Amino acid sequence: MVEVVLRHGDRHVRVVALVDSGADVSLFNMSYALDLGLDTADGQRTRAVGAGGAAVDCLSWAGLELEFEQDRFPFAGRFVDLPASTPRMNLLGRRDFFQRYIVQFWDAADLFGIDLSPDFPRTSQPLG
């Protein structure tokens, strides 16, 4: 689990998310999109398939950014409004987060590390 900042214009929200190498795309709870002032009528509708094989309706918007350790980049993820009975887990997936970072898991030593990929120079942005 890591903390990231999701940004849209001058609004931002802090999100705790699971770094999930099995997730094709980042998936966040719809409540964060609403916190950013995004209108669900303006979102692009898509579907995502979860680990259990069930498809869920998603929304995405252009112009969002994700920030991790003062590195800011475009957010390519989606938002999902899950039923109350479903655990609400935010996932960082391969299409945006894993494109920028080298993520290492070493179960035997109980270690987890995230390093910026050499393909992306670090761009410092002040935290808002």
Side-chain angles (χ1 to χ4, degrees):
M1 302 291 276
V2 298
E3 182 178 83
V4 294
V5 178
L6 188 59
R7 295 183 174 278
H8 180 253
D10 62 349
R11 297 178 107 173
H12 71 278
V13 61
R14 293 187 184 283
V15 178
V16 174
L18 176 69
V19 179
D20 185 356
S21 62
D24 290 334
V25 297
S26 295
L27 283 176
F28 285 8
N29 188 292
M30 184 65 72
S31 64
Y32 295 114
L34 301 177
D35 289 345
L36 293 171
L38 298 167
D39 186 345
T40 56
D42 296 334
Q44 179 181 352
R45 296 188 184 286
T46 57
R47 292 183 64 79
V49 178
V56 293
D57 293 321
C58 303
L59 288 175
S60 60
W61 290 265
L64 297 175
E65 291 182 305
L66 199 59
E67 184 176 312
F68 175 69
E69 294 186 349
Q70 300 179 348
D71 182 39
R72 210 185 277 189
F73 53 96
F75 177 68
R78 300 174 186 163
F79 296 86
V80 61
D81 194 12
L82 296 172
S85 61
T86 306
R88 299 189 183 270
M89 180 67 65
N90 301 300
L91 305 175
L92 291 169
R94 294 193 316 268
R95 265 198 212 138
D96 47 22
F97 195 80
F98 279 76
Q99 293 295 314
R100 293 190 70 85
Y101 298 99
I102 300 166
V103 180
Q104 301 172 14
F105 301 95
W106 186 15
D107 285 337
D110 199 26
L111 293 175
F112 168 71
I114 301 174
D115 293 309
L116 189 62
S117 165
D119 293 339
F120 294 98
R122 189 167 297 278
T123 56
S124 295
Q125 299 282 341
L127 293 175

